[in-house]
Amino acid sequence: MSKGPIIARINQIDTADGFRTIQAEQLFEQFFHGRKETLQLPENDELKRLAVGDVITFYRAEDNVETGEAMENLRDFDRRDQKERIVLLFKCQPNGQGFPSKEERVFWLDKGEKLLELEKLPRIIEILLGLSMYYGKRREAVEKSLDILRLSQDPEAIDALFSVRPEKLDELLGGEDMLFAVQIADAMLALKLAGADLEHPRRRDLRQILSLAVLHGTAERTVKDFIDAYQREKI
């Protein structure tokens, strides 16, 4: 799981070597000041629109968290100064709630490595839509998962989007029922990283994706019977 949301006010911005280093201070309820934060992000046009005094929300990845024996070697290291990877950042209203106007909007995601080249929903998702009434009724939202994957294919970034409240996510992404789009994008990335063939799925691939159908009301027997009868197409 990504770490966030963290709300902070920007105190300083420095640019060097293709990166923007943002010094910020966390904000809590009633705007008590919290610890200092250092965010290092790539220089791009979107992030150039941030200014000192702006209030931002951001999420960190957990892919570089040290544990166990590695932590013993860090006992003299002040973890508050560690620059952890930022995967999602957006500008908030000065009160930390809601978003500025479209003209002032700042929304940045870590794009990550491109893992999938998709122009339409792969067969494994079409099977889910056909078997699950819950997802079948939400096809339009599910198809927007392709838009999510065009924004980012970084699993930690998608996880961060998955952590945003549904109503806020819709406003952030400019759509309706965007939680379903993010959920399916997240599932496709997980399948790809597990070695699944999305166009010619194996039975084990189907078990993974069709667990979503069971979660949302499709009878386990229906899913089991489908998988038992399934014949993978020859490639």
Side-chain angles (χ1 to χ4, degrees), residues 83-174:
K83 294 184 180 69
E84 295 174 288
R85 188 165 69 95
I86 308 300
V87 292
L88 169 62
L89 181 149
F90 51 87
K91 184 176 173 180
C92 307
Q93 293 281 16
N95 63 3
Q97 304 297 319
F99 302 102
S101 65
K102 288 184 179 180
E103 293 74 21
E104 297 180 332
R105 184 175 183 264
V106 175
F107 168 50
W108 179 86
L109 268 176
D110 187 334
K111 295 187 72 67
E113 178 187 354
K114 199 163 189 177
L115 300 172
L116 293 168
E117 290 275 3
L118 297 173
E119 295 299 323
K120 60 184 181 68
L121 292 175
R123 183 161 182 260
I124 196 168
I125 301 301
E126 292 290 358
I127 290 172
L128 172 67
L129 292 172
L131 206 61
S132 169
M133 184 179 296
Y134 181 86
Y135 285 101
K137 288 180 177 179
R138 295 164 173 83
R139 182 183 184 93
E140 186 175 344
V142 169
E143 286 179 339
K144 290 178 182 176
S145 62
L146 300 176
D147 296 331
I148 302 298
L149 292 174
R150 281 187 277 271
L151 285 174
S152 172
Q153 294 194 18
D154 182 273
E156 290 272 4
I158 300 299
D159 181 68
L161 282 177
F162 203 46
S163 304
V164 177
R165 294 197 311 272
E167 66 278 5
K168 199 164 188 176
L169 188 64
D170 287 352
E171 191 178 351
L172 187 66
L173 297 175

Side-chain angles (χ1 to χ4, degrees), residues 26 33 36 46 53 73 83 103 112 120 144 174 185 189 199 215-216 233:
Q26 280 193 32
H33 290 245
K36 300 287 192 297
E46 188 77 12
N73 299 326
K83 294 184 180 69
E103 293 74 21
K120 60 184 181 68
K144 290 178 182 176
L189 285 175
E199 285 297 341
L215 181 66
H216 291 294
E233 295 176 351

Side-chain angles (χ1 to χ4, degrees), residues 32-82:
F32 291 133
H33 290 245
R35 77 177 194 181
K36 300 287 192 297
E37 297 283 356
T38 299
L39 290 66
Q40 191 172 71
L41 297 155
E43 179 72 15
N44 66 26
D45 291 338
E46 188 77 12
L47 295 172
K48 284 179 182 176
R49 299 169 65 188
L50 290 174
V52 172
D54 283 347
V55 175
I56 55 173
T57 292
F58 63 92
Y59 289 73
R60 286 193 170 102
E62 284 197 331
D63 56 9
N64 61 348
V65 174
E66 303 285 356
T67 57
E69 186 176 328
M71 279 298 294
E72 288 298 314
N73 299 326
L74 293 174
R75 59 180 177 270
D76 297 324
F77 178 70
D78 187 350
R79 291 185 58 81
R80 290 174 299 178
D81 293 332
Q82 187 178 14

Side-chain angles (χ1 to χ4, degrees), residues 131-132 210 213-226:
L131 206 61
S132 169
L210 293 180
V214 174
L215 181 66
H216 291 294
T218 302
E220 286 189 44
R221 172 55 62 182
T222 300
V223 170
K224 184 178 184 306
D225 289 347
F226 178 86

